Amino acid sequence: EAATIVAHRVDDQMVVLMDPMEDPDDILRANRSREKTYMFDVAFDYSASQEEVYRATTKGLIEGLISGYNATVFAYGPTGCGKTYTMLGTDKEPGIYVRTLNDLFRAIEETSDDMLYSVSMSYLEIYNEMIRDLLNPSSGFLDLREDSKGVIQVAGITEVSTINAQEIMELLMKGNKQRTQEPTAANQTSSRSHAVLQVAVKQQSRCRDVLQEVRFARLFMIDLAGSERAAQTQNRGQRLKEGAHINRSLLALGNCINALSDKNGNKYVNYRDSKLTRLLKDSLGGNSRTVMIAHISPASVAFEESRNTLTYADRAKSIRTRVKKNLINVSYHIAQYTNIISDLRCEIQRLKKKIADQASRQLNSDRADIRHVQDC
């Protein structure tokens, strides 16, 4: 479209956006800068690999997740700027979903000798302000409910328990085929819905005691639909209605970000304006470590969208979440002591066997060394 590049990454943290409409020869605006700079925790240009983006944004959340801290990662920005690519990726260049789950299961395997884990996942989309289960689309539209502890839950969502990364990947691929995508003038495979992957991790010690400590944490990974203007995507009819719903939920998200980042201490944050913001209540201003990956196009034709996205991301920087470890202490009834004792005996036997195996391996390697010396 004969566009020029107006967005530049200056270093690892600074993005410079130039206004393509301003005339450098305009005397009235001679003292006004055409450039606007934005500072972030980290900035990437178009040459960044999936691995670089993952390492700088999400990898650090996994250790906390196993320790009982909630985490959220969401991709934000206009249509066609690479949100789905960042989150889902391709077979050759997998995105944040796949890399996070692989590293999560690797971390679980490394500590599974001492700890007992249970992992469950659900995958849903919010389309036209309706919630659809992507793992079981035939269940129809689902409702949001608030439980006794004030946690927002999706009633009737399919939760799949697994301890296998490959199984989750297959479910993700299956769910993604059910996702609502339509071609628009801005993008051939435009995501018309917000996709939310939720992974719940529960951890407890294998060694059962009278007082058992259980840690649990939730990981949300969200691929938002593109924020766009109807004029730019030339949407009509059904696409226009979808766009209005997408923009409405993103406006509600923007309003929440504005209220949370308000320096004057505006205490009221309207999470109920949209199902997306209700679901993300904890992620935005509550008990969660949250990463927002903002995507922009460097092209001059997308200047307005890029400026709006950078302004939102700049505001979101000042949101402070209050993160606390999710712990439950379970005390067992006296009748369960016999079970605890038998479990402890099994654990002792297992550990004794492990020590004996290691000792025999050591002995065999020592003998092999002696034979080697004798041969020499």
Side-chain angles (χ1 to χ4, degrees):
E1 294 177 30
T4 55
I5 290 181
V6 293
H8 302 274
R9 185 185 80 138
V10 176
D11 57 21
D12 288 347
Q13 294 185 306
M14 188 189 285
V15 178
V16 174
L17 192 66
M18 300 171 76
D19 190 341
M21 301 305 290
E22 282 193 15
D23 180 5
D25 300 326
D26 188 343
I27 294 159
L28 293 173
R29 300 178 181 217
N31 295 325
R32 195 175 125 186
S33 171
R34 286 181 67 214
E35 297 176 357
K36 184 134 177 55
T37 58
Y38 300 87
M39 292 293 288
F40 299 103
D41 293 331
V42 61
F44 307 98
D45 61 9
Y46 57 87
S47 65
S49 68
Q50 295 276 55
E51 180 67 19
E52 280 175 64
V53 174
Y54 167 66
R55 281 183 178 281
T57 59
T58 314
K59 193 174 172 67
L61 298 174
I62 291 167
E63 203 176 312
L65 189 71
I66 287 175
S67 305
Y69 293 102
N70 294 336
T72 305
V73 184
F74 65 96
Y76 181 86
T79 288
C81 288
K83 295 184 298 299
T84 302
Y85 178 70
T86 298
M87 297 307 280
L88 197 74
T90 60
D91 290 342
K92 287 182 181 170
E93 281 287 319
I96 281 172
Y97 283 172
V98 177
R99 291 171 193 272
T100 305
L101 292 169
N102 276 336
D103 280 1
L104 174 64
F105 283 112
R106 201 171 295 129
I108 285 172
E109 276 165 29
E110 282 168 10
T111 54
S112 60
D113 275 359
D114 308 316
M115 293 293 183
L116 199 62
Y117 289 94
S118 71
V119 181
S120 65
M121 68 157 283
S122 60
Y123 195 29
L124 61 91
E125 74 169 3
I126 302 174
Y127 172 67
N128 282 357
E129 282 300 291
M130 300 286 196
I131 295 174
R132 247 176 94 231
D133 187 349
L134 289 174
L135 299 180
N136 181 19
S138 59
S139 59
F141 296 122
L142 307 176
D143 289 327
L144 282 178
R145 300 262 188 272
E146 200 166 320
D147 68 11
S148 57
K149 297 185 188 78
V151 178
I152 303 293
Q153 305 277 7
V154 181
I157 190 88
T158 307
E159 285 208 357
V160 182
S161 290
T162 178
I163 205 77
N164 179 349
Q166 189 56 42
E167 214 172 286
I168 282 198
M169 298 311 151
E170 284 165 14
L171 286 167
L172 259 181
M173 295 306 162
K174 179 187 151 198
N176 230 54
K177 288 191 177 80
Q178 306 291 339
R179 217 179 145 189
T180 310
Q181 289 186 333
E182 296 291 345
T184 69
N187 188 359
Q188 269 303 298
T189 54
S190 177
S191 305
R192 310 307 294 159
S193 65
H194 311 298
V196 181
L197 173 68
Q198 183 183 332
V199 182
V201 181
K202 191 173 165 191
Q203 179 206 59
Q204 62 192 74
S205 174
R206 280 186 185 276
C207 181
R208 290 175 74 183
D209 204 343
V210 178
L211 195 70
Q212 182 84 45
E213 188 180 80
V214 181
R215 298 174 188 176
F216 63 94
R218 293 199 298 174
L219 167 69
F220 280 110
M221 290 189 279
I222 302 131
D223 173 19
L224 295 174
S227 55
E228 75 239 343
R229 295 169 182 208
Q232 192 193 0
T233 49
Q234 295 163 24
N235 287 345
R236 301 287 179 272
Q238 181 64 21
R239 298 291 82 76
L240 188 67
K241 282 181 190 170
E242 284 171 0
H245 279 292
I246 290 167
N247 286 347
R248 179 185 151 194
S249 56
L250 290 172
L251 177 66
L253 179 63
N255 289 340
C256 288
I257 288 171
N258 285 348
L260 287 162
S261 60
D262 189 4
K263 296 281 192 300
N264 301 327
N266 179 8
K267 291 289 180 252
Y268 180 66
V269 182
N270 192 1
Y271 292 111
R272 289 182 171 268
D273 258 5
S274 152
K275 289 191 174 164
L276 175 69
T277 48
R278 272 196 80 190
L279 201 59
L280 294 185
K281 183 178 176 180
D282 252 1
S283 309
L284 288 170
N287 174 24
S288 176
R289 289 174 171 167
T290 303
V291 174
M292 175 181 179
I293 307 174
H295 296 68
I296 61 164
S297 163
S300 54
V301 288
F303 170 73
E304 285 295 332
E305 279 78 12
S306 298
R307 186 172 62 181
N308 290 342
T309 303
L310 288 172
T311 306
Y312 267 133
D314 204 43
R315 281 197 190 124
K317 268 193 325 190
S318 56
I319 297 174
R320 294 285 172 267
T321 55
R322 294 168 296 285
V323 184
K324 62 178 189 289
K325 198 180 272 195
N326 300 308
L327 289 177
I328 305 174
N329 285 318
V330 181
S331 57
Y332 289 101
H333 191 265
I334 207 152
Q336 293 173 291
Y337 285 5
T338 51
N339 294 341
I340 293 172
I341 291 164
S342 65
D343 280 357
L344 286 170
R345 279 184 180 145
C346 290
E347 183 71 8
I348 290 164
Q349 288 300 321
R350 190 179 71 83
L351 293 171
K352 274 183 178 173
K353 187 175 179 297
K354 199 174 172 184
I355 291 164
D357 288 349
Q358 280 175 346
S360 66
R361 270 202 299 271
Q362 185 68 40
L363 197 63
N364 289 337
S365 67
D366 288 348
R367 278 181 188 155
D369 287 349
I370 290 165
R371 285 192 202 117
H372 178 67
V373 169
Q374 285 170 345
D375 290 345
C376 291

